[in-house]
Amino acid sequence: MKNKRNDTKSYLLVFLGLIIIVPIVWILIDRMEGNKPQLDFALQSNFIGKSLNLPVTLTDQESGLQRFWVALVKDGKEYPIVTKNFDFAGLLTGGLVNTEIINVQFSPKDLGVSDGKALLRMAVWDYSWRKLGKGNQAYIEREVLIDTRPAQISVLSKAHNINQGGSGLAIYKLSEPCPKSGVFVGDRFFPGHSGYFSDTQIYMAFFALTHKQGPKTKLVMTAVDNAGNENRSDFTYHINTRRFRKDTINISDRFVERKKPEFTQEISHGDNLSPLEIFLLVNEDLRKANSETIFDIASTTESKIYWKDDFLRLPNSANRARFADHRRYIYNGKVIDTAYHMGIDLASIAQSPIPAANSGKIVFVGKIGIYGNTVIIDHGFGLFSLYGHMSSIDVNKDQLVTKGDIIGKTGSSGLAGGDHLHFGMLVHNTYVNPIEWWDGTWIKNNITDKIAGTNTH
């Protein structure tokens, strides 16, 4: 009997002990966890310019965040940037905050940090009981380069005489490598490219004015270095005013019905639309989408000049429409729409062979909406030629062609009323007047003499 009582007492003591010890052990295990907090950020480069905003994500799902610290170390001296302490919930629960994004603002000038190599240091602690309550620590150290001075731009090309709707070339030298540089024409940016001259710090930027940009258009060179510092530099230029024609085109139901099968895949519910509705969708929405497609193709170019001398035009052809014609479309005696014609229409005999206007690389072969069967050639440094409404195509994408090579035949595909070639020229994302590039004297005065006369020393 006595033994039974002793056994019961022992069991009770063990039970009570477990009730006390297990929670304590659990708390110790939980609060003594050894997982470091997470510290994540995306530093795009190792450069820090005049200012930098760096979002840093801090995470600790177990003990919670305790403290965050950031500093720059330059020439042996430490410059604190951020010190933040997070709220404490209590001994048994740890920190109140498990995740937070902190925007770390770097301003070397305000800190008194000079340009040159430095160390970026970051650390975050949690509320674990490890290390006598100091917590687990995540630490990152990164070598950075403080650069608060923008690149210097030296303009090497002299005369910049540009026609409204025409092309231009600027040549300049940078004091340091820059991931972005070029010419702003109004709010349009035309990137510069190195690679033509042996000095890799010399860049060429082909640029253009739209048919709407006249003498009041502002042109400026720009360069953004690896640290994000931007420099803008004026340069001498003169813009010549040009006037463009107005044209009237009559649209009939018969024409739209004939063209309807070509656009059924690009127009939703086309079977339920009237000829007028179909035409407006094609001439407005599809025309805009086609231009975006073409500009996207022309956004990538070779840093190489493939072309030489003047560009060829379709042999024995007559102009049927000119560059930047402002077209009014008439339907049943009323104006229903307007558009600008961004090329020159050339007509010869039906299905005439089309020569490549100049040497280059084929970057597009296929159908582009209103332009029908289309070929686009990259002539280098952002200069492209476009051939539309073709009946057949005899080249392939990525093929190199020589000036005069036959690339296909004229036709009436796309939004064409008869057999002809729509010939366009582009400088990056801007249509330009092809007449300039057919003119050997214009090319010599404005492009090749400028390149040849550049002092690379």
Side-chain angles (χ1 to χ4, degrees):
M1 193 74 174
K2 188 176 181 181
N3 289 335
K4 271 190 173 181
R5 286 179 187 164
N6 290 335
D7 291 343
T8 301
K9 188 183 289 186
S10 298
Y11 290 143
L12 185 59
L13 288 172
V14 171
F15 179 71
L16 291 173
L18 289 173
I19 290 175
I20 295 170
I21 293 170
V22 169
I24 291 174
V25 171
W26 181 83
I27 289 171
L28 287 172
I29 293 173
D30 180 64
R31 299 300 295 115
M32 290 287 288
E33 57 88 13
N35 295 319
K36 294 180 181 180
Q38 295 180 354
L39 192 161
D40 297 310
F41 62 92
L43 194 60
Q44 299 300 322
S45 72
N46 66 330
F47 288 86
I48 295 179
K50 291 180 180 178
S51 63
L52 173 67
N53 175 46
L54 182 64
V56 180
T57 302
L58 309 173
T59 307
D60 192 290
Q61 298 297 342
E62 295 177 275
S63 299
L65 301 169
Q66 180 185 167
R67 187 160 69 96
F68 176 55
W69 169 85
V70 182
L72 279 174
V73 180
K74 176 77 165 55
D75 300 327
K77 184 178 179 180
E78 188 173 271
Y79 300 84
I81 297 173
V82 174
T83 299
K84 178 167 183 176
N85 296 311
F86 295 90
D87 291 337
F88 184 50
L91 286 172
L92 299 181
T93 52
L96 282 174
V97 180
N98 297 107
T99 300
E100 182 148 330
I101 298 174
I102 296 179
N103 290 311
V104 180
Q105 300 286 341
F106 294 90
S107 181
K109 184 178 180 181
D110 293 342
L111 290 170
V113 180
S114 60
D115 284 10
K117 290 183 179 180
L119 285 177
L120 166 62
R121 290 175 176 169
M122 286 190 193
V124 60
W125 294 263
D126 64 14
Y127 271 109
S128 169
W129 288 356
R130 291 285 180 113
K131 298 181 181 179
L132 300 177
K134 292 181 179 179
N136 300 302
Q137 180 199 56
Y139 176 81
I140 291 177
E141 185 172 283
R142 186 78 56 84
E143 187 174 279
V144 294
L145 185 64
I146 309 297
D147 178 8
T148 61
R149 295 186 293 270
Q152 298 303 304
I153 305 171
S154 301
V155 183
L156 303 181
S157 50
K158 304 302 180 185
H160 304 92
N161 296 307
I162 315 107
N163 296 317
Q164 188 173 340
S167 309
L169 172 65
I171 304 173
Y172 56 95
K173 185 174 183 176
L174 302 179
S175 61
E176 62 179 276
C178 292
K180 179 181 178 181
S181 69
V183 176
F184 272 105
V185 178
D187 60 356
R188 288 178 176 242
F189 177 66
F190 296 86
H193 303 272
S194 64
Y196 181 83
F197 299 100
S198 58
D199 186 341
T200 57
Q201 294 305 103
I202 297 179
Y203 292 73
M204 295 200 302
F206 283 90
F207 61 92
L209 276 73
T210 70
H211 60 288
K212 294 181 178 180
Q213 291 179 307
K216 293 183 179 181
T217 306
K218 178 68 175 176
L219 276 65
V220 64
M221 286 188 185
T222 183
V224 181
D225 66 17
N226 286 293
N229 303 305
E230 182 177 10
N231 189 15
R232 292 202 170 196
S233 176
D234 292 329
F235 64 101
T236 304
Y237 60 88
H238 175 75
I239 298 173
N240 302 307
T241 303
R242 291 289 182 266
R243 295 186 180 277
F244 302 99
R245 296 191 321 169
K246 295 181 178 180
D247 195 11
T248 299
I249 297 177
N250 290 298
I251 302 299
S252 66
D253 289 347
R254 181 180 178 185
F255 169 73
V256 176
E257 288 293 343
R258 179 164 62 87
K259 289 293 176 181
K260 184 177 176 180
E262 286 194 58
F263 301 114
T264 52
Q265 293 181 341
E266 301 180 77
I267 300 175
S268 58
H269 311 295
D271 292 338
N272 300 321
L273 300 177
S274 68
L276 175 58
E277 290 171 325
I278 291 172
F279 174 78
L280 292 176
L281 280 174
V282 170
N283 199 49
E284 293 177 1
D285 296 355
L286 187 57
R287 182 185 292 275
K288 181 180 178 181
N290 294 160
S291 286
E292 290 174 355
T293 297
I294 292 167
F295 295 156
D296 184 60
I297 294 167
S299 65
T300 303
T301 185
E302 299 277 343
S303 294
K304 178 179 180 180
I305 291 184
Y306 287 107
W307 59 272
K308 185 178 180 181
D309 300 328
D310 57 317
F311 282 59
L312 300 177
R313 58 176 285 156
L314 184 69
N316 304 314
S317 61
N319 289 358
R320 288 293 179 260
R322 297 181 185 178
F323 175 77
D325 281 356
H326 188 203
R327 290 176 164 178
R328 298 191 317 156
Y329 295 92
I330 308 295
Y331 180 78
N332 289 338
K334 296 182 179 179
V335 177
I336 56 168
D337 206 1
T338 61
Y340 287 96
H341 183 250
M342 295 289 92
I344 295 180
D345 287 348
L346 301 170
S348 182
I349 60 174
Q351 298 190 11
S352 294
I354 302 171
N358 221 312
S359 301
K361 183 178 182 180
I362 306 292
V363 292
F364 181 83
V365 171
K367 289 188 176 181
I368 303 182
I370 65 170
Y371 297 100
N373 297 323
T374 303
V375 169
I376 299 176
I377 301 177
D378 178 13
H379 301 287
F381 285 89
L383 181 64
F384 296 81
S385 58
L386 180 148
Y387 310 77
H389 305 316
M390 299 170 70
S391 61
S392 63
I393 296 174
D394 298 327
V395 288
N396 299 308
K397 188 176 182 295
D398 296 327
Q399 179 180 337
L400 293 176
V401 292
T402 301
K403 179 179 178 179
D405 286 351
I406 301 303
I407 62 172
K409 295 180 179 179
T410 62
S412 57
S413 58
L415 197 63
D419 188 295
H420 70 278
L421 170 67
H422 174 91
F423 180 73
M425 294 286 296
L426 296 99
V427 175
H428 293 288
N429 61 352
T430 301
Y431 296 106
V432 296
N433 197 338
I435 288 178
E436 292 182 340
W437 294 95
W438 288 337
D439 184 347
T441 301
W442 178 89
I443 291 174
K444 182 178 185 298
N445 292 339
N446 294 277
I447 309 295
T448 53
D449 278 0
K450 190 177 293 186
I451 295 172
T454 298
N455 184 356
T456 59
H457 301 290

